[in-house]
């Protein structure tokens, strides 16, 4: 370890705690204490040698050596209090007092010590305080003026010095002052070098932070022109920094968001408060990746930047919030899905109450009448009629429950598909024949167009019949008397296209988007003219999905509806997850079934 390192460690141990954590303050305190401690200790060590060579000292010499204790006391004061400016003020007073005593005893303003008055403001310059420099200047001028006045009125003792001694003392005073001033100059240069190195360190530190920050930092003029952009811009927008200067960044802002972008910058520059805004920013495609240019969401926080020139500038920090926006959109979609699920529960209660209560009331009522046939004098014909009504009501109730159970099975993924070869033409004609009577009673013309050369397809024949029955039954139900329903089947490529077209009431465009949702019925629920649970098309949609098919609904109000189902001719079953839109309705479906079961038990 070198001597300088030992001295530096000793000085650092004497520093006040407030100066240990700032490099510039630490350097200033060290520069103040080092020359005073080392110089005083060296001169005090030389005092015995001086006595041995000089003999008995004079009173002035004793005072001069006694003054050497003052720098040590000043260093102690700075070490204990940390008051840098106060230490410089005391140092100026101590030096001025010593110069005044020596000058007064050796000729006043003409003394060799008077030249040291120049050193007082020079030493104060190291304090980096205008107040200390001004005080030191005033103190030196006051001391000089006092010496001149005292000398003018002959109030100072006349020194008994020879010409040779006077010249020697004058030379000593000038040379010693020059050396002390040189030491001050070296100290000032050392502090300046330390300050510059610290500035470079801080600049490198901030540059390192700017390069490694994921947020983009920019400086803007009041009109939005970019004057500086951090290197993070290249990662965020995929463009060099040079292309973003000026109005390059503004050109990348989405056209619809540019007014908000400029307003935020202008308000921050004019109002003096921080502003925040979100906007879309065009990002270039990344080199080496086949990704087109797209827009990202950016959150910009801007605040005014104080300038000595008075020109308003704004510093902005931009952060990519695209992921947060995506999450917000996902939450919004989830909220909409939850509202739809809640609405589905409401529709379930509204539609199922009538569909379940009506047949149950008929079953209970007519069965009670049969039980009391002796009292009511019911004959055999009337008993048979009541039994038929009970059977019809039970069949209707069974169909409703079967629809709910089928929907529940498809929701949980437990609906079993048993594919086998079958003739779609025969199955389709069978379904139309079953519904022909219903069509005649409703005054609807049912037309079937199924060519005889339809090939055999592989699928679940029960599911195919259920699809056809539900579609045709719906078409007949919603077609007014005198209308027609056309059922056709053709082969297109590797798929069978089943179309059911009617000339009925049609479906509104808003309702068309939700056709196929469980328990959804077009039109207002409490104003509907037709019975039903709203599960028919939902079951069709689920069965078609289980067959890897597609369903398309086209309709206009007052002109009719066309439902097209595309089923593969050769179906191979595979594991499938429940449909997401059905999965979102699971809580509503389960809650609705429980509430309805409670209501059925209560009314029974």
């Amino acid at each position: 370890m070198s001597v300088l390192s030992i001295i530096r460690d000793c000085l650092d141990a004497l520093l006040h705690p407030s100066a240990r954590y700032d490099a510039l303050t630490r350097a200033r305190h060290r520069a103040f204490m080092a020359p005073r401690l080392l110089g005083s200790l060296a001169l005090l060590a030389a005092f015995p040698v001086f006595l041995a060579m000089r003999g008995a000292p004079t009173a002035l010499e004793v005072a001069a050596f006694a003054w050497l204790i003052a720098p040590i006391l000043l260093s102690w004061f700075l070490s204990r209090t940390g008051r840098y400016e106060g230490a410089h003020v005391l140092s100026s007073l101590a030096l001025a007092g010593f110069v005044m005593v020596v000058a007064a005893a050796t000729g006043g303003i003409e003394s060799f010590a008077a030249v040291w008055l120049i050193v007082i403001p020079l030493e104060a310059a190291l304090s980096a305080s205008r107040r200390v420099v001004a005080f030191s200047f005033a103190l030196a001028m006051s001391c000089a003026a006092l010496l001149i006045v005292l000398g003018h009125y002959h109030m100072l003792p006349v020194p008994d010095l020879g010409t040779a001694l006077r010249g020697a003392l004058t030379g000593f005073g000038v040379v010693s002052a020059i050396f002390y001033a040189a030491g001050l100059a070296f100290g000032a240069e050392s502090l300046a070098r330390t300050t510059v190195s610290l500035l470079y360190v801080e600049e490198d530190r901030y540059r390192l932070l700017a390069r490694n920050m994921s947020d983009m930092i920019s400086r803007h003029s009041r009109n939005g022109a970019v004057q500086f952009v951090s290197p993070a811009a290249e990662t965020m927008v995929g463009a060099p920094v040079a292309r973003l200067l000026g109005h390059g960044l503004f050109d990348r802002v989405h056209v619809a968001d540019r007014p908000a972008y400029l307003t935020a910058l202008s308000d921050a520059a004019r109002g003096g408060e921080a502003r925040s805004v979100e906007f879309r920013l065009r990002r270039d495609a990344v080199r080496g990746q086949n990704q087109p240019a797209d827009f990202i969401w950016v959150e910009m926080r801007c605040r005014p930047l104080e300038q000595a020139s008075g020109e308003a500038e704004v510093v902005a920090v931009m952060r990519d919030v695209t992921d947060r926006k995506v999450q917000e959109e996902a939450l919004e979609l989830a909220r909409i899905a939850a509202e739809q699920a809640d609405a589905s529960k409401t529709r379930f209660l509204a539609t199922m109450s009538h569909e379940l209560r009506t047949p149950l009331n008929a079953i209970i009522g007519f069965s009670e009448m049969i039980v009391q046939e002796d009292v009511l004098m019911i004959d055999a014909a009337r008993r048979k009629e009541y039994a038929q009504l009970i059977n019809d009501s039970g069949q209707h109730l069974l169909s409703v429950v079967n629809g709910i159970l089928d929907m529940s099975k498809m929701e949980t993924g437990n609906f079993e598909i048993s594919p086998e070869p079958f003739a779609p033409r025969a199955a389709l004609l069978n379904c139309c024949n079953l519904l022909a009577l219903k069509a005649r009673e409703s005054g609807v013309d049912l037309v079937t167009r199924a060519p005889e050369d339809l090939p055999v397809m592989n699928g679940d024949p029960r599911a195919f019949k259920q699809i056809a029955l539900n579609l045709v039954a719906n078409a007949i139900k919603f077609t007014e008397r005198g209308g027609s329903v056309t059922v056709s089947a053709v082969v297109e490529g590797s798929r069978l296209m089943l179309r059911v077209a009617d000339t009925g009431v049609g479906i509104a465009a808003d309702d068309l988007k939700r056709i196929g949702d469980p328990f959804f019925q077009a039109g207002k629920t409490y104003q509907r003219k037709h019975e039903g649970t709203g599960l028919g098309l939902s079951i069709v949609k689920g069965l078609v999905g289980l067959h890897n098919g597609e369903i398309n609904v086209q309709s206009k109000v007052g002109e009719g509806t066309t439902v097209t189902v595309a089923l593969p001719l050769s179906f191979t079953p595979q594991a499938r997850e429940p449909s997401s839109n059905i999965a979102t309705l699971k809580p509503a479906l389960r809650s609705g079934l429980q509430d309805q079961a409670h209501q059925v038990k209560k009314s029974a």
Side-chain angles (χ1 to χ4, degrees):
M1 182 178 294
S2 62
V3 177
L4 292 178
S5 299
I6 296 176
I7 295 175
R8 182 183 295 273
D9 292 340
C10 293
L11 290 175
D12 290 342
L14 296 175
L15 294 178
H16 190 265
S18 62
R20 295 177 181 176
Y21 303 103
D22 183 75
L24 183 59
T25 304
R26 185 168 61 249
R28 287 176 175 174
H29 284 222
R30 192 187 297 123
F32 181 90
M33 297 171 62
R36 287 168 175 79
L37 289 176
L38 295 177
S40 297
L41 293 175
L43 292 176
L44 287 175
F47 185 64
V49 178
F50 176 80
L51 292 178
M53 296 178 61
R54 175 85 166 118
T58 62
L60 182 61
E61 293 172 346
V62 172
F65 278 100
W67 176 81
L68 295 176
I69 302 176
I72 299 176
L73 295 177
L74 290 175
S75 299
W76 176 86
F77 172 80
L78 180 61
S79 175
R80 298 293 295 176
T81 64
R83 298 173 60 181
Y84 186 64
E85 292 185 3
H88 268 282
V89 170
L90 293 178
S91 179
S92 298
L93 290 173
L95 181 59
F98 176 73
V99 171
M100 284 293 294
V101 172
V102 176
T106 57
I109 195 65
E110 297 178 358
S111 170
F112 70 93
V115 71
W116 275 76
L117 293 177
I118 301 175
V119 178
I120 296 176
L122 293 179
E123 183 185 63
L126 296 179
S127 66
S129 172
R130 291 184 178 181
R131 293 181 300 177
V132 175
V133 172
F135 171 79
S136 301
F137 170 75
L139 180 62
M141 290 297 294
S142 300
C143 291
L146 182 60
L147 289 175
I148 292 174
V149 171
L150 293 176
H152 179 73
Y153 290 101
H154 305 287
M155 299 176 64
L156 295 175
V158 179
D160 186 12
L161 299 174
T163 304
L165 182 59
R166 182 184 297 273
L169 290 176
T170 302
F172 171 77
V174 173
V175 172
S176 61
I178 292 175
F179 272 101
Y180 194 80
L184 295 177
F186 280 113
E189 188 274 337
S190 177
L191 288 177
R193 187 169 61 251
T194 302
T195 302
V196 172
S197 63
L198 290 176
L199 289 177
Y200 281 134
V201 170
E202 289 295 320
E203 184 178 353
D204 292 339
R205 183 181 304 169
Y206 285 118
R207 186 180 293 110
L208 181 64
L209 290 175
R211 288 178 178 176
N212 291 276
M213 284 182 62
S214 58
D215 296 347
M216 182 174 71
I217 304 174
S218 57
R219 190 174 80 245
H220 304 253
S221 61
R222 187 170 183 176
N223 63 353
V226 178
Q227 299 176 351
F228 167 81
V229 178
S230 64
E234 298 183 4
T235 304
M236 182 177 294
V237 301
V241 172
R243 293 174 56 184
L244 301 178
L245 298 178
H247 294 284
L249 182 62
F250 172 77
D251 295 338
R252 291 177 173 271
V253 178
H254 195 278
V255 176
D257 299 334
R258 290 179 180 179
Y261 168 79
L262 293 177
T263 300
L265 292 175
S266 178
D267 291 346
R270 183 176 61 253
E273 297 180 358
R275 292 291 186 273
S276 179
V277 65
E278 293 182 355
F279 55 89
R280 286 161 290 183
L281 193 66
R282 189 178 77 251
R283 176 174 57 188
D284 292 344
V286 181
R287 294 181 180 179
Q289 299 181 6
N290 296 326
Q291 295 180 354
D294 58 349
F295 281 91
I296 60 173
W297 278 98
V298 172
E299 179 187 29
M300 181 178 73
R301 297 181 181 273
C302 49
R303 62 177 61 253
L305 178 64
E306 297 294 336
Q307 292 288 333
S309 60
E311 182 181 357
E313 291 187 357
V314 176
V315 173
V317 179
M318 303 181 196
R319 174 172 297 178
D320 187 352
V321 293
T322 305
D323 293 340
R324 192 189 74 190
K325 282 291 184 178
V326 172
Q327 293 177 357
E328 291 177 355
E329 293 178 359
L331 289 176
E332 180 65 17
L333 292 177
R335 184 188 64 82
I336 295 174
E339 292 178 352
Q340 291 179 353
D342 185 69
S344 298
K345 175 183 176 181
T346 304
R347 287 195 303 273
F348 173 84
L349 295 176
T351 58
M352 295 301 294
S353 295
H354 177 74
E355 296 298 332
L356 292 178
R357 284 180 176 179
T358 299
L360 284 174
N361 288 332
I363 293 171
I364 295 172
F366 288 115
S367 62
E368 288 179 351
M369 294 177 69
I370 293 176
V371 170
Q372 302 175 7
E373 59 178 346
D374 294 337
V375 179
L376 299 176
M377 304 296 290
I378 299 176
D379 55 12
R382 184 64 60 84
R383 189 185 306 111
K384 181 179 180 181
E385 179 184 355
Y386 290 169
Q388 183 62 42
L389 291 174
I390 292 174
N391 182 267
D392 293 341
S393 298
Q395 292 295 334
H396 176 71
L397 184 61
L398 179 62
S399 65
V400 172
V401 173
N402 284 335
I404 296 175
L405 294 178
D406 288 342
M407 195 71 242
S408 178
K409 287 181 179 180
M410 282 185 286
E411 174 192 320
T412 58
N414 295 327
F415 194 92
E416 296 182 359
I417 295 293
S418 301
E420 61 182 60
F422 72 96
R425 183 176 186 275
L428 185 60
L429 292 177
N430 185 21
C431 294
C432 292
N433 291 334
L434 291 176
L435 297 172
L437 179 59
K438 181 179 179 180
R440 285 196 298 269
E441 291 176 350
S442 301
V444 177
D445 185 17
L446 180 59
V447 180
T448 304
R449 296 174 181 173
E452 297 182 358
D453 58 348
L454 283 180
V456 175
M457 64 181 297
N458 187 58
D460 192 330
R462 296 179 298 106
F464 181 82
K465 289 182 179 180
Q466 193 167 2
I467 291 172
L469 286 173
N470 284 329
L471 292 180
V472 178
N474 269 350
I476 295 173
K477 182 194 304 185
F478 293 102
T479 301
E480 301 294 337
R481 184 173 296 274
S484 64
V485 175
T486 303
V487 182
S488 61
V490 295
V491 174
E492 293 184 3
S494 61
R495 299 191 299 178
L496 176 71
M497 309 298 293
L498 174 62
R499 291 186 179 89
V500 179
D502 62 65
T503 59
V505 296
I507 305 172
D510 294 338
D511 294 336
L512 192 61
K513 300 176 182 178
R514 302 187 58 188
I515 286 295
D517 291 349
F519 307 110
F520 176 76
Q521 291 178 312
K524 296 182 179 179
T525 302
Y526 298 101
Q527 297 179 359
R528 57 193 178 94
K529 300 179 181 179
H530 309 282
E531 302 296 334
T533 61
L535 289 176
L537 201 55
S538 301
I539 294 175
V540 170
K541 186 177 180 181
L543 293 175
V544 171
L546 291 176
H547 281 81
N548 296 335
E550 297 178 0
I551 184 171
N552 181 35
V553 182
Q554 297 178 346
S555 181
K556 289 185 179 180
V557 177
E559 297 183 8
T561 303
T562 300
V563 180
T564 304
V565 174
L567 297 173
L569 292 175
S570 179
F571 167 68
T572 302
Q574 58 183 2
R576 292 189 50 166
E577 296 181 356
S579 178
S580 59
N581 62 337
I582 296 178
T584 58
L585 298 174
K586 179 186 287 188
L589 179 60
R590 183 182 299 109
S591 177
L593 287 173
Q594 293 174 353
D595 295 344
Q596 187 59 45
H598 176 71
Q599 293 179 7
V600 170
K601 290 180 181 179
K602 185 177 179 181
S603 54

